[in-house]
């Protein structure tokens, strides 16, 4: 059985930059080695190459663009792959795309051998995105993001409903859940509802002791 994925999004938090980012990377690597649970990170863009070079953990970009050539201020998929990344987040609630752009971006990720984590906000959008055959669908109710209220407790039905809907469309697509995930109990509940892992941010990135939080997250797997 494949390991669940715990994916940490550093967003643009100051706590996820510079030396702080390195501390989170080291903690993720250590806990992953000790537990056998896959812990991935989505650091800020300036940290992508250093993370890929210095840590034995999966590294994901926070966004990619399905372009190359005369495009300024974009993040072409091939550059992320060249940096050594495993994959990329697509359509995060803080970086929304149109359905056509999601399709094109998932295709670009596949072309450049990157895993794709398509973020969605409900069951219907999850099912639609699953038709593009990304690696993961990550469902996150927007109202719970950063709230400290776990989706696993507040809205377990959206997890089960998304898993069922996604697998009806494409059984090969894995499902993550996010929004308010903060403990091993949250992860355990998500997995029991059929999810393949979790996507989270502030509960690790803003923690005084990220290693302790990560140990708790994997403790009940």
């Amino acid at each position: 059985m494949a390991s669940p994925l715990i994916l940490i999004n550093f967003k643009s938090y100051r706590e996820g930059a510079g030396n702080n980012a390195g501390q989170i990377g080291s903690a993720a690597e250590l806990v992953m080695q000790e537990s056998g649970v896959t812990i991935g990170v989505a650091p800020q863009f300036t940290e992508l190459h250093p993370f890929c070079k210095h840590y034995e953990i999966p590294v994901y970009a926070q966004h990619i663009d399905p372009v190359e050539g005369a495009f300024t201020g974009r993040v072409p998929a091939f550059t992320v792959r060249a940096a050594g990344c495993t994959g990329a987040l697509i359509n995060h609630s803080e970086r929304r795309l149109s359905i056509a752009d999601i399709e094109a971006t998932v295709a670009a990720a596949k072309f450049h051998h990157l895993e794709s984590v398509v973020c969605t906000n409900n069951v219907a959008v999850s099912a639609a995105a699953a038709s593009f055959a990304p690696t993961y669908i990550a469902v996150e109710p927007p109202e719970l993001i950063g709230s400290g209220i776990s989706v696993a407790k507040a809205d377990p039905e959206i997890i089960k409903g998304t898993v069922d809907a996604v697998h009806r469309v494409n059984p090969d697509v894995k499902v993550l859940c996010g929004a308010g995930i903060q403990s091993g109990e949250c992860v355990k509940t998500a997995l029991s509802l059929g999810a393949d892992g979790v996507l989270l941010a502030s509960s690790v990135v803003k923690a005084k002791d990220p290693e302790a939080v990560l140990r708790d997250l994997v403790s009940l797997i």
Side-chain angles (χ1 to χ4, degrees), residues 10-62:
F10 290 23
K11 300 194 176 185
S12 295
Y13 292 129
R14 285 184 177 269
E15 295 90 341
N19 290 336
N20 291 338
Q23 291 173 4
I24 298 168
S26 295
E29 184 177 59
L30 177 63
V31 176
M32 177 173 162
Q33 290 173 345
E34 291 181 350
S35 68
V37 176
T38 303
I39 301 177
V41 294
Q44 296 166 24
F45 287 108
T46 53
E47 307 282 359
L48 288 179
H49 180 64
F51 262 74
C52 292
K53 182 177 180 181
H54 295 296
Y55 301 104
E56 295 295 325
I57 52 177
V59 178
Y60 295 75
Q62 294 183 12

Side-chain angles (χ1 to χ4, degrees), residues 6 8 24 27-28 31 39 204 210-219:
I6 294 178
I8 309 159
I24 298 168
V31 176
I39 301 177
V204 173
E211 183 180 322
V213 175
L214 287 169
R215 289 187 187 283
D216 180 43
L217 289 168
V218 305
S219 64

Side-chain angles (χ1 to χ4, degrees), residues 134-158:
T135 314
Y136 294 95
I137 294 292
V139 63
E140 296 186 296
E143 66 275 12
L144 297 179
I145 294 175
S147 68
I149 302 171
S150 170
V151 61
K153 296 179 180 179
D155 196 0
E157 284 304 311
I158 198 172

Side-chain angles (χ1 to χ4, degrees), residues 15 36 50 55 63 68 80 86-87 98 102 116 158-159 177 189 220:
E15 295 90 341
Y55 301 104
H63 170 78
E68 57 181 270
V80 168
T86 296
S98 70
I102 294 171
S116 49
I158 198 172
I159 302 174
C177 69
T189 300
L220 300 178

Side-chain angles (χ1 to χ4, degrees), residues 133-206:
T135 314
Y136 294 95
I137 294 292
V139 63
E140 296 186 296
E143 66 275 12
L144 297 179
I145 294 175
S147 68
I149 302 171
S150 170
V151 61
K153 296 179 180 179
D155 196 0
E157 284 304 311
I158 198 172
I159 302 174
K160 186 177 185 304
T162 296
V163 170
D164 292 344
V166 165
H167 288 172
R168 281 196 297 270
V169 175
N170 188 331
D172 294 329
V173 177
K174 299 176 183 178
V175 176
L176 307 178
C177 69
I181 299 293
Q182 55 192 296
S183 70
E185 193 62 43
C186 296
V187 176
K188 179 182 178 182
T189 300
L191 297 181
S192 72
L193 292 167
D196 298 285
V198 297
L199 173 63
L200 69 163
S202 58
S203 61
V204 173
V205 179
K206 290 191 168 188

